[in-house]
Amino acid sequence: MANIKLAISVILVCFVVSTSAVGKTCDSSEPCKCSMSDGTGEINLRSLASTDGLPKFTLPTGYWNYSYNPCEAFNSTKYTGLAVVQVNANNPNEEYDLGVQANEKFEYKISQGLYVEYRASDYLRTSRVYLNCEPTNVEQLIFLGESISTEYEFILNTPCACPGFCDDNGLIDGITTVTVPVTEPPTTTVPPVTTTPPITTTPTIDPNLPRCDRTGICSCSMSDGTGLINLNSLASKNGTPAWTIQDSYGWQYEYNPCVGFTSLYYTNLAILQSSIYNTWDEYDLGSQLYESFIYRAAEGVSVEYYAQDQLRKSRVTLVCEPETTEHELKFLGELIITEYEFVLTGPCGCPGLCDDNGLLSPGTTTTATVPSNTDTTTPNGNVGPEPVPKPGVNWDIVGASLVALIFHDLILLFVVSFILVLLKFVFNVACCSNSASKYSMQSTA
């Protein structure tokens, strides 16, 4: 009896802990709407639906087109009852069911917020539409990508994603939104002229850390006086990217610092992702127009690029390697959805070692202009910047993370040990019992 009471207590504690961890939910009693458990109101998407048999939203992304209609099913060439469909832009007969209305489900997760999930009729593919409360008159669907194979992610910006804003007919009386003026499309077929954004200095989160202040295209000046970082000599100027590398998943990455290049769909690129199996399937991972230099304590200086549609971002971390004359680009991966990480190793990642024409001769450095009231005396009594340190492990930075990791592992070990002891001495359950092997030996005998 004591064991039963203890077991019930453990179950109740686990239930309370799991409930508190999950937090709020959005409970759906009928299709296309749900009520927030925290009492903030109802989410109702019904007024967004197209009722003429066609999808409300269609997104061309290059090789694929994606169509979505909340609430009301539509049909394609091969499928019926659809919520989301993927169609080949060059071959409409190639299409895939990404979710049907019958398999709609509202989910809320602390790390992701509220989303609507749709499973395909054969359950081979899944789509998630994240609902972003947008208190304006804007209704916009954005395709994030196929984050995991066969799982497709979208963002829906709409005021109807705000609790209590909409009913079946649209905005509820008394609810006001901020009106965003709609720009009329141009009457000419000539594309508009794109202007380069002004050169700005990206603010550093910690004012005590050094900065690399952008001085022009592809160069920045270290605020600690160690010199200029200049990547201009690395650029290919013949219209092709300086680096082309591949990953193990069938994707190719092309990078050219400083000078834009053109692909099938995009212009003025810094970084492009394309399929090695199909040249039509490509994505803008960063434009030369949106280049910025960032300094982080754990990584050093990196160059960051945003795509022209701001949907994707690439970070190229510069690793100073003064002992070589070559530069090497490596792809680390898509560590966060739509954020791509690269490492560029070479001497031009070191302050003061390169100018527009390449590697400087030994003993020559490029330095930033230092204000007259700035003391540049180094600890050894010389005037000027300190020598560039060789790469190595900075224990002032790594130490705290290492201690935290060890502490985390100790806590995990304690929790696992506690559970094993609880199972053994309270419930008489041995997780590592060799009873099965004994039974096998007796049976053989």
Side-chain angles (χ1 to χ4, degrees), residues 53-165:
L54 300 175
K56 174 67 174 289
F57 303 96
T58 297
L59 295 176
T61 62
Y63 186 75
W64 296 106
N65 293 337
Y66 297 88
S67 296
Y68 170 54
N69 197 47
C71 312
E72 296 289 335
F74 65 95
N75 301 330
S76 67
T77 304
K78 295 169 57 177
Y79 304 103
T80 60
L82 288 166
V84 187
V85 69
Q86 179 190 48
V87 182
N88 188 324
N90 304 297
N91 181 10
N93 292 320
E94 184 183 3
E95 59 180 25
Y96 299 95
D97 170 10
L98 301 190
V100 295
Q101 297 289 352
N103 293 337
E104 171 204 271
K105 181 172 65 173
F106 283 86
E107 292 281 354
Y108 182 92
K109 292 184 178 179
I110 296 176
S111 60
Q112 298 169 313
L114 179 65
Y115 60 88
V116 194
E117 182 175 284
Y118 302 92
R119 302 289 300 275
S121 54
D122 56 8
Y123 291 92
L124 295 181
R125 292 174 173 82
T126 301
S127 291
R128 294 185 186 90
V129 181
Y130 296 96
L131 302 180
N132 182 40
C133 172
E134 177 61 63
T136 69
N137 63 333
V138 172
E139 289 179 354
Q140 179 188 33
L141 182 70
I142 298 172
F143 176 58
L144 294 179
E146 188 179 1
S147 56
I148 302 174
S149 180
T150 71
E151 295 189 8
Y152 301 80
E153 298 195 323
F154 304 81
I155 292 179
L156 179 59
N157 296 316
T158 172
C160 290
C162 305
F165 269 48

Side-chain angles (χ1 to χ4, degrees), residues 147-199:
S147 56
I148 302 174
S149 180
T150 71
E151 295 189 8
Y152 301 80
E153 298 195 323
F154 304 81
I155 292 179
L156 179 59
N157 296 316
T158 172
C160 290
C162 305
F165 269 48
C166 294
D167 58 16
D168 289 354
N169 301 312
L171 284 174
I172 296 174
D173 292 340
I175 299 293
T176 58
T177 60
V178 179
T179 301
V180 177
V182 178
T183 304
E184 293 295 330
T187 56
T188 175
T189 57
V190 178
V193 177
T194 305
T195 58
T196 304
I199 296 174

